Amino acid sequence: MSTAHTHLSYNDYAAGGYASNVAHAARGLLAALFAVKPRAEDQALEEQRHSEATYLSRMADDYEHIAPNLSAELRFMASRG
């Protein structure tokens, strides 16, 4: 029994093996899933898309009486983001 005890020590797992690699990957995955904050660039891009969609919608309202087909296309583009 003493040989089995010395063979399965904490140091064996700390040196790196399959189980420690899986545990390390799982910790990395959880950290990536729960610790990600949106970048400022992403937020700025989302605001730009929103303003472009608003602009296209207003343009569609302006052309509703003159060219209804164009107005429909502009609304479609605005909805696509």
Side-chain angles (χ1 to χ4, degrees), residues 51-73:
S51 66
E52 289 173 356
T54 303
Y55 176 73
L56 288 174
S57 295
R58 288 180 184 166
M59 189 184 296
D61 292 339
D62 292 340
Y63 286 105
E64 179 66 34
H65 300 293
I66 301 168
N69 289 339
L70 175 62
S71 179
E73 287 292 326

Side-chain angles (χ1 to χ4, degrees), residues 1-23:
M1 288 251 217
S2 63
T3 58
H5 178 64
T6 57
H7 178 65
L8 296 174
S9 68
Y10 176 76
N11 291 334
D12 288 341
Y13 292 111
Y18 181 75
S20 64
N21 288 340
V22 170

Side-chain angles (χ1 to χ4, degrees), residues 13-34:
Y13 292 111
Y18 181 75
S20 64
N21 288 340
V22 170
H24 182 69
R27 282 192 301 268
L29 175 65
L30 290 175
L33 287 176
F34 295 114

